[in-house]
Amino acid sequence: PPLANFTTPLTVKTSVRGDTKNIHLRDIVVKTPDHRLQIAASGIFNLPQHKGEKISMSFDINSLRATGGIKDQIIMHFLKKPNAMKFIRSFGDISFRGKVTIPWHRQIIQGMLSTRYGTFDVNTTLTTDNAYLTGSLKTDGFRLGEFLDNKNLGNVALQADVQMDISSKKKAKLLHRKKGKIPAGSIKGRAIEASYKGIKIKDVDFSIVSNAESANGTLSATGKVMDVSCDFSFDDADIKHSLKVKPHIKMHNIFENAAPVKFFKKLFGKKKKKEK
């Protein structure tokens, strides 16, 4: 389906065998004349056996590489909004290895998505009749500082749940009115490990909510010495230039329950009067 509305010519080669139940496609090779898109895969079509059933498909993607405007044509199948492509372009060229299953009105995508700044373990489902995308992302070493052009930030390992919903007519009108500068939806998860100015930080909870016009998010981490949180927002696909950050720090009284403090409190604290 992501190639259904392609405007660039494609060559497709495969070997086929099958029967009235299944059609197997082996050694699938899909590419453009300029090799900006190259796909190697195998697949199976499950044919309808009863009235009312629909055909379903499943593909094992051995390799997919998309560069330049070809990548944009594929991503447009998922984002629906041309202006959101500016955000996706910042990730550079993409490659993918994994599995794509296409039952009725759904596309299930599972595998490793590689970008210029790191690799994501992707497990998502796109409901095609209402453009509702849900799923999870995981990465062990995304180069966040390089992506945001911030030397103070290092790599980040995180896992997150993603939801993007443009299903209702009301929301579609909202996106149209706001010109869809950034993808609409929400991301919620935890940074297992991150770093700032060389200091490693673990278990940072984060959430981002976007209405296409602007996005607001929070970061929070609880420690023995202090609680650190941060509110941030951006209103353009070029995050590094539109990002606004407001940090918060709450110090703990680490001496409150320390043993020496308890001793001196007991020694010099107010003594209760003895009852006669």
Side-chain angles (χ1 to χ4, degrees):
L3 307 181
N5 297 319
F6 241 52
T7 57
T8 305
L10 294 171
T11 61
V12 181
K13 293 182 180 180
T14 184
S15 60
V16 181
R17 67 176 178 82
D19 51 32
T20 56
K21 293 183 178 180
N22 308 111
I23 298 177
H24 297 266
L25 295 89
R26 298 182 181 276
D27 302 320
I28 303 172
V29 177
V30 181
K31 60 184 179 181
T32 56
D34 56 10
H35 300 288
R36 285 186 298 161
L37 173 67
Q38 299 182 71
I39 301 174
S42 60
I44 182 172
F45 289 178
N46 299 308
L47 304 177
Q49 299 300 304
H50 304 285
K51 186 176 180 180
E53 286 186 355
K54 304 293 183 181
I55 190 172
S56 64
M57 297 169 273
S58 179
F59 295 94
D60 287 315
I61 310 295
N62 300 321
S63 65
L64 180 155
R65 180 165 178 78
T67 63
I70 295 295
K71 177 195 68 176
D72 296 0
Q73 291 188 54
I74 294 175
I75 299 298
M76 278 297 297
H77 171 72
F78 301 97
L79 286 185
K80 308 296 181 183
K81 289 293 176 181
N83 290 334
M85 286 309 304
K86 186 178 179 181
F87 174 77
I88 296 298
R89 288 192 188 101
S90 61
F91 284 91
D93 299 338
I94 62 171
S95 60
F96 177 78
R97 181 183 180 90
K99 188 178 185 66
V100 179
T101 306
I102 310 171
W104 182 238
H105 282 316
R106 285 184 298 150
Q107 296 170 38
I108 303 169
I109 303 164
Q110 301 167 305
M112 301 302 294
L113 176 67
S114 298
T115 72
R116 180 192 303 168
Y117 303 103
T119 300
F120 290 92
D121 185 346
V122 178
N123 189 340
T124 58
T125 298
L126 175 66
T127 307
T128 52
D129 57 350
N130 62 12
Y132 193 89
L133 178 71
T134 59
S136 63
L137 300 174
K138 184 179 179 181
T139 178
D140 293 328
F142 183 72
R143 297 191 293 278
L144 182 64
E146 188 178 339
F147 174 66
L148 294 177
D149 194 20
N150 187 327
K151 294 181 180 179
N152 292 325
L153 293 171
N155 295 355
V156 60
L158 61 83
Q159 54 190 25
D161 295 320
V162 180
Q163 293 187 32
M164 292 186 180
D165 181 6
I166 55 172
S167 57
S168 68
K169 291 182 179 180
K170 181 179 179 181
K171 193 163 290 186
K173 289 179 181 178
L174 176 71
L175 291 176
H176 180 72
R177 189 176 76 247
K178 295 176 182 293
K179 298 181 181 180
K181 289 182 179 180
I182 48 181
S186 66
I187 301 175
K188 183 179 181 181
R190 169 169 287 196
I192 301 167
E193 184 175 283
S195 66
Y196 181 73
K197 292 186 177 181
I199 301 173
K200 288 190 176 182
I201 307 168
K202 294 187 177 182
D203 298 330
V204 180
D205 295 315
F206 66 89
S207 64
I208 306 173
V209 178
S210 166
N211 64 0
E213 183 180 38
S214 62
N216 296 282
T218 59
L219 297 168
S220 61
T222 302
K224 293 181 179 179
V225 178
M226 68 182 76
D227 294 341
V228 180
S229 63
C230 178
D231 299 325
F232 61 91
S233 63
F234 53 92
D235 56 11
D236 192 271
D238 188 357
I239 297 176
K240 64 184 71 174
H241 291 115
S242 64
L243 185 65
K244 296 178 182 178
V245 179
K246 187 177 181 180
H248 309 280
I249 297 177
K250 181 182 178 182
M251 301 296 297
H252 294 287
N253 186 353
I254 59 175
F255 301 107
E256 181 68 25
N257 296 315
V261 175
K262 287 183 177 180
F263 173 77
F264 284 110
K265 275 187 176 180
K266 188 175 181 181
L267 187 62
F268 299 106
K270 291 182 179 180
K271 296 181 179 180
K272 293 182 179 179
K273 292 181 180 181
K274 292 183 179 180
E275 293 182 4
K276 291 182 180 179

